[in-house]
Amino acid sequence: MSHSPSERPKVPTITVGLRPHPSSPDAAVAGSGPVGHLLATMYAAPEGGAVFEFRLDDSRIDRLVVPAPQPSVAADGLWQHTCFEVFLGVPGEPTYREYNFSPSGQWAVYAFQGWRQRVDGFAAEQAPEIQCTHDAGSLVLQARVPAGLLPAVPPGTDLQVSLAAVIERKDGQLEYWAVRHAPAQPDFHARDTFVLTLATATRSQP
């Protein structure tokens, strides 16, 4: 079960609305597709790491493909189906990480040295904790990412963030949602879409 806002720790919290890329089906007419609203919330956990929550509200979940529960293990290709994504960049550097969270409980973490340039041999040494619930009108996924999975930054460094989602419809089409989109084709890796800031819990203590 996802934590309600009243249960969240008293730390800076950001909630934003995601919007579909103009090339996504039904993007031209708001509310005409199966997704009503898609909200994303993030905050740095007091114990370290970060929490990301994605919420589909006022939606027709029966018109979406929601991956069935699976063992919570690392898996590739999650973005080919309904999947929620987080991108974390280091200010002033081309490096960034990509996190995929599936409603199935499966996940993936990738490290990049530049735009779509994967770091060979990178393997996550820890696993995020994923919880997902849904009913006829809503779906909530929460992912808790341990500190060891975040990019290593000096104390006091905040991370640049992009929050996004791929939504698979039962008619076979994919919708691409994000806080900000690249103008031509959907590209969650475009660095100018990393427009949010995560105040990390790695600051020096007084």
Side-chain angles (χ1 to χ4, degrees), residues 42-130:
M42 68 176 186
Y43 58 88
E47 68 275 13
V51 178
F52 301 93
E53 182 178 286
F54 296 86
R55 186 179 196 100
L56 276 68
D57 284 325
D58 301 323
S59 300
R60 305 171 187 86
I61 304 301
D62 62 342
R63 291 175 54 188
L64 303 178
V65 178
V66 179
Q70 300 284 340
S72 184
V73 297
D76 286 324
L78 298 176
W79 49 268
Q80 298 176 20
H81 305 284
T82 297
C83 179
F84 301 95
E85 304 190 16
V86 175
F87 292 79
L88 299 180
V90 179
E93 298 183 12
T95 59
Y96 64 96
R97 289 191 182 178
E98 174 187 354
Y99 305 79
N100 293 174
F101 308 119
S102 170
S104 70
Q106 295 178 313
W107 55 273
V109 182
Y110 306 104
F112 295 83
Q113 57 189 359
W115 179 74
R116 294 186 178 274
Q117 298 176 9
R118 290 268 295 272
V119 175
D120 293 336
F122 174 82
E125 297 182 355
Q126 295 176 277
E129 297 179 8
I130 299 174

Side-chain angles (χ1 to χ4, degrees), residues 19 21 87 89-90 93-96 114-115 160-163 178-196:
R19 58 190 179 87
H21 189 273
F87 292 79
V90 179
E93 298 183 12
T95 59
Y96 64 96
W115 179 74
Q160 298 170 327
V161 186
S162 175
L163 303 175
V179 177
R180 175 182 290 181
H181 287 285
Q185 298 299 317
D187 184 4
F188 296 161
H189 293 254
R191 194 56 180 265
D192 59 0
T193 66
F194 293 28
V195 294
L196 302 176

